[in-house]
Amino acid sequence: MKLGIFGGSFNPPHQMHYMLVKQLLEKIELDKIIVIPTGSTYPKDGLIPAHHRLQMLELLFQDVPNVIISDYERKDQVTYTYQTLAYFQQQYPEATLYFICGSDNLRELYWWERHDEMLKHYHFIVIPRNGDQIAELEQLYPEYQDHIHFVKLPLIAISSTEVRQKIKAGLAPVSELNPAVWKYIQKHHFYRE
């Protein structure tokens, strides 16, 4: 089984997250993708509580049967990515795990806890971002190139930061958000300050 692991703050989850997951399920033929929002202890400004981000992810992916929303990182302490991957490998011992990330994450991977261990034991699906060229990215970890898979996807550029800024400015980010997610945000008055 090919199992994708997609983590992030998802603050809020938006249509690009949805498109990315749908395209990876089809293009890479992943059997399932586990979507994992960071816990509330993650050091990021303006992060709403994890249970709300979990609920919004459930709403976003309610029509995608091969997506599992996990609360694994919803803890009182920081969870490192290597711990998350090890946990899901234990839960699915027969699966090949594919960690999904942007090229910006790959560039910063040197600073992550046990990054060599992750590159050795797991596969990485890397989406080029911000004009990054695959030929240049391939030079970053030459010894692990058989575990790094670059995938270009026709994604629309949406960022959670821009969505929050729109809401704060009193604008409705209708094209960026799933209608059910937008209703949830309005109901709870998120991102207005």
Side-chain angles (χ1 to χ4, degrees):
M1 177 168 69
K2 293 167 74 172
L3 183 63
I5 304 292
F6 184 30
S9 58
F10 303 109
N11 189 40
H14 50 66
Q15 293 295 66
M16 194 194 72
H17 296 133
Y18 181 84
M19 290 169 55
L20 175 86
V21 165
K22 288 278 285 183
Q23 290 179 41
L24 286 176
L25 284 167
E26 294 165 12
K27 192 169 184 174
I28 308 299
E29 297 179 355
L30 296 172
D31 295 293
K32 290 186 186 300
I33 293 179
I34 300 175
V35 181
I36 313 158
T38 57
S40 297
T41 56
Y42 188 72
K44 204 164 195 180
D45 290 338
L47 193 63
I48 65 169
H51 68 277
H52 287 298
R53 290 178 286 120
L54 279 161
Q55 186 60 48
M56 287 190 285
L57 284 165
E58 293 283 0
L59 292 168
L60 181 63
F61 291 108
Q62 62 187 334
D63 69 337
V64 188
N66 292 357
V67 171
I68 300 166
I69 309 301
S70 170
D71 67 351
Y72 172 72
E73 292 191 4
R74 188 180 160 192
K75 301 173 180 168
D76 293 331
Q77 75 272 4
V78 173
T79 305
Y80 293 105
T81 302
Y82 79 88
Q83 294 170 312
T84 299
L85 291 170
Y87 170 79
F88 284 105
Q89 189 67 82
Q90 198 173 38
Q91 298 300 304
Y92 300 90
E94 303 302 317
T96 301
L97 266 56
Y98 290 79
F99 179 67
I100 300 162
C101 67
S103 56
D104 51 334
N105 293 131
L106 187 69
R107 288 186 178 282
E108 297 172 0
L109 202 62
Y110 287 107
W111 305 106
W112 292 23
E113 291 284 329
R114 301 191 188 181
H115 69 276
D116 281 331
E117 181 181 311
M118 290 191 296
L119 285 163
K120 182 179 178 181
H121 295 292
Y122 310 106
H123 289 259
F124 280 62
I125 293 174
V126 179
I127 317 304
R129 295 181 66 184
N130 306 321
D132 279 340
Q133 300 300 311
I134 290 174
E136 183 185 339
L137 295 167
E138 286 174 336
Q139 307 305 312
L140 293 175
Y141 302 95
E143 67 274 35
Y144 297 114
Q145 280 308 303
D146 58 335
H147 276 210
I148 301 174
H149 314 278
F150 298 99
V151 180
K152 282 192 171 183
L153 297 175
L155 297 171
I156 51 173
I158 301 174
S159 81
S160 294
T161 301
E162 290 168 2
V163 171
R164 292 193 306 271
Q165 288 170 347
K166 255 189 164 180
I167 295 169
K168 187 176 180 180
L171 303 172
V174 174
S175 63
E176 294 94 340
L177 294 177
N178 172 290
V181 171
W182 176 225
K183 281 182 188 174
Y184 190 91
I185 289 169
Q186 289 176 299
K187 177 184 175 183
H188 295 279
H189 310 289
F190 290 140
Y191 310 122
R192 291 189 179 176
E193 294 181 7

